[in-house]
Amino acid sequence: MLFKSLSNLKVQIALGFGLLLVLLVVISGFGVSNGVSALGKFSDYRSTARSSILLADMQEDILSARMTVMKYRATRQEGALSKVQAEMAAMVEEAELLKGCCHIVFSSRMSG
């Protein structure tokens, strides 16, 4: 009796579409959950990228200050001292940004 009612073409088509609809909902739910988890991973990546850029800027400032000090020692130009102070101020500002946005703990030498 059950087989006879399933043999009806309308019932078979309805069951097929119903099954496809259920599968579509399951796959959609899986995709949404993966999208939400990917959003969290992207946020972590963005934070890491920001800290990396700030650290690279700090490294550039330190190198520039060291080169300016070396030039000052060789030539004794008065303008070099103000440039070193500006580079060091930029480095301290970037260190404060890094502490604020990326939750990195610095040693006591950097927080002074």
Side-chain angles (χ1 to χ4, degrees), residues 26-110:
V26 168
I27 291 172
S28 299
F30 183 71
V32 167
S33 69
N34 282 342
V36 169
S37 69
L39 184 64
K41 290 176 185 177
F42 180 73
S43 178
D44 292 342
Y45 166 75
R46 185 174 46 202
S47 175
T48 302
R50 280 184 184 157
S51 64
S52 176
I53 289 170
L54 286 171
L55 286 172
D57 287 345
M58 288 175 64
Q59 185 178 13
E60 180 184 344
D61 291 338
I62 291 170
L63 180 62
S64 178
R66 288 181 68 192
M67 290 177 61
T68 305
V69 166
M70 290 172 60
K71 284 181 186 177
Y72 175 74
R73 292 173 90 188
T75 62
R76 301 286 182 198
Q77 291 178 345
E78 292 300 321
L81 180 61
S82 63
K83 185 175 180 185
V84 169
Q85 289 173 339
E87 293 290 343
M88 295 305 290
M91 185 190 69
V92 168
E93 181 180 319
E94 288 165 353
E96 291 299 320
L97 283 173
L98 192 61
K99 280 194 315 188
C101 83
C102 302
H103 310 292
I104 293 178
V105 178
F106 285 100
S107 67
S108 61
R109 283 192 270 163
M110 289 299 291

